[in-house]
Amino acid sequence: MVRPHKAQALDIPRRAIEVTIDLLAEQDAATLTMAEVASRIGCRAPALYNHFRNRDALLRAVHDEGFQRLYASKLNVLEQHGGEVMDRLREGGLAYLAFAHDNPALYRLMFFPPQIEGVGVQPFSSDPARKAFEFLHTNVVEIQQIGYLAGQDPAEVAFTLWSTVHGAALLATQGRSPAAEKNVQAFAQATVNTIMMLIAGSRTI
């Protein structure tokens, strides 16, 4: 039986994304090279170029992978808390914080990428990113249907909620906290709890 060539035996696109995520934890995206990624994978650079025409294409794939993983975490929340919209909103916020905490380098690439061909300055310009934001928007519409935040524009509410939790996540991933005696992740989670208390007080039905 003919044994496959080493490059054929590897799932190069998947391995390239995983390796790049690992490398981003060690260095800035601007210094990443295709040769370095290929070396970590265990293939030659030409084999990598067969799947990604340049570094921008690889970073764009990693960028989109980040949002796909974030969206998957949201779907997991839906599966576990599908029947209670307020629980889903709370757990969705906590899942967002957990994702940023567990994937700080990937999170930075998603929202603060270097200049990458095909990646716009608007973080939700890609399809996976839009799906993640639309999940939050849908959740806002659902809580409005049962009397919370009545009369508010759901898109504006969704943006406000996202930007608040995003700010907390960003500070937490950078190890910064307004109160030195508190754990930064606990402080970030308190942001979600505060938001939920404010929303709970808005019910009109």
Side-chain angles (χ1 to χ4, degrees):
M1 182 176 67
V2 178
R3 298 183 65 182
H5 187 275
K6 185 176 182 181
Q8 295 174 328
L10 292 169
D11 182 355
I12 291 178
R14 172 51 48 189
R15 289 283 296 128
I17 289 172
E18 296 294 343
V19 163
T20 301
I21 291 172
D22 290 341
L23 285 170
L24 289 175
E26 304 169 10
Q27 65 188 76
D28 188 83
T31 66
L32 189 77
T33 68
M34 295 288 276
E36 188 175 16
V37 174
S39 176
R40 286 283 188 101
I41 293 172
C43 70
R44 294 182 178 181
L48 182 58
Y49 279 104
N50 285 337
H51 301 278
F52 304 97
R53 66 186 183 88
N54 54 29
R55 190 189 67 168
D56 278 4
L58 174 57
L59 288 175
R60 184 169 65 250
V62 174
H63 170 274
D64 288 351
E65 173 70 14
F67 279 106
Q68 287 168 352
R69 293 184 183 188
L70 177 60
Y71 181 60
S73 74
K74 297 285 189 178
L75 292 180
N76 185 55
V77 168
L78 177 61
E79 183 177 334
Q80 295 184 25
H81 303 276
E84 177 47 62
V85 292
M86 287 290 279
D87 284 350
R88 196 187 316 151
L89 185 62
R90 179 192 301 277
E91 294 303 320
L94 294 175
Y96 186 100
L97 291 174
F99 176 86
H101 178 267
D102 294 342
N103 306 277
L106 180 57
Y107 187 77
R108 284 193 299 273
L109 180 71
M110 290 161 60
F111 290 101
F112 305 99
Q115 188 171 359
I116 301 173
E117 181 183 352
V119 175
V121 294
Q122 159 55 267
F124 298 107
S125 59
S126 69
D127 184 59
R130 278 194 300 273
K131 285 182 178 179
F133 187 76
E134 286 168 1
F135 187 97
L136 174 59
H137 182 273
T138 298
N139 207 164
V140 169
V141 171
E142 289 172 336
I143 67 169
Q144 288 183 316
Q145 290 171 345
I146 57 174
Y148 297 101
L149 301 174
Q152 302 298 311
D153 184 307
E156 293 179 358
V157 172
F159 177 78
T160 299
L161 297 179
W162 168 76
S163 59
T164 303
V165 176
H166 173 69
L170 185 60
L171 288 171
T173 58
Q174 294 177 342
R176 299 177 180 179
S177 170
E181 69 275 10
K182 294 200 71 171
N183 176 277
V184 289
Q185 190 66 6
F187 214 96
Q189 291 170 351
T191 302
V192 173
N193 293 332
T194 301
I195 289 172
M196 295 306 301
M197 285 190 292
L198 293 172
I199 293 173
S202 73
R203 192 169 194 180
T204 57
I205 296 177

